[in-house]
Amino acid sequence: MNAITTYDAIIVGGGPAGSTCAYFLVKSGLNILLIDRASFPRVKLCAGWISPPIWDVLELLPKDYTRGLWKWKLVHINFRGRKYHIKSDGYFVRRYEFDDFLLKRSRVKTAEGHNVREIKKDADGYWVIDNQFRAKYLVGAGGTHCPVGRVLFPEKDSIQC
């Protein structure tokens, strides 16, 4: 039987939130594992844009982002039959490139292509994922269908009384 590998924290989800969390935790010297069911770069069809304050949060300058980046200064909004044009600053990015860039920049250990099936706590209070990975702390960054969210906040219908 293989021993379960123990980490300080496990992050489930490798998008911008998960990889940025990993970046700061790894930078602080912690032993972190990031799990994502996809392999990066992954297909990500949704649009992406970055507003100016986010560059500071990411500790990144636009000039240091080496992938596709397009500046915009005006937002067009159609709402309830009216059109609005609002001055603004930001950048468009291709999410599949941006997510891959942030994940690689984090220098986190990854388990890509791993679909989380089971999350439980062991007798020591550590989180155990699929009897393979173990950590004191668990971060759910997997979006709408995050397995961590499903375990910690089950649907009302599935709660046993």
Side-chain angles (χ1 to χ4, degrees):
M1 179 173 186
N2 293 339
I4 296 175
T5 307
T6 300
Y7 298 89
D8 294 315
I10 296 173
I11 301 166
V12 178
S19 59
T20 300
C21 180
Y23 171 78
F24 286 105
L25 293 175
V26 168
K27 184 178 170 181
S28 73
L30 296 174
N31 183 22
I32 306 300
L33 176 68
L34 186 143
I35 301 173
D36 198 289
R37 70 177 170 207
S39 294
F40 286 71
R42 65 184 176 174
V43 173
K44 191 68 177 175
L45 300 178
C46 64
W49 62 86
I50 303 171
S51 57
I54 298 304
W55 294 106
D56 292 335
V57 171
L58 295 175
E59 294 185 351
L60 183 66
L61 296 172
K63 69 179 181 69
D64 296 328
Y65 178 68
T66 58
R67 314 239 179 128
L69 189 66
W70 298 269
K71 187 158 180 60
W72 53 274
K73 294 182 181 246
L74 191 64
V75 177
H76 304 279
I77 300 171
N78 292 313
F79 181 69
R80 293 188 176 177
R82 297 190 66 192
K83 294 182 181 182
Y84 303 90
H85 307 285
I86 303 166
K87 289 183 182 182
S88 185
D89 281 327
Y91 293 87
F92 288 112
V93 295
R94 290 185 288 247
R95 280 289 306 276
Y96 76 93
E97 289 177 336
F98 187 66
D99 292 7
D100 185 55
F101 174 87
L102 291 176
L103 185 59
K104 284 181 174 51
R105 183 182 82 129
S106 75
R107 291 181 164 60
V108 69
K109 293 174 192 140
T110 61
E112 294 179 49
H114 184 97
N115 190 17
V116 172
R117 301 264 186 226
E118 179 184 51
I119 300 172
K120 61 186 177 186
K121 276 200 164 183
D122 66 13
D124 297 322
Y126 280 69
W127 293 101
V128 178
I129 296 180
D130 298 331
N131 291 317
Q132 294 179 42
F133 314 110
R134 178 179 185 259
K136 183 71 176 171
Y137 302 102
L138 180 63
V139 177
T144 305
H145 302 289
C146 183
V148 174
R150 288 195 313 262
V151 167
L152 296 179
F153 306 102
E155 295 289 327
K156 289 180 183 177
D157 293 338
S158 67
I159 295 175
Q160 301 294 320
C161 297

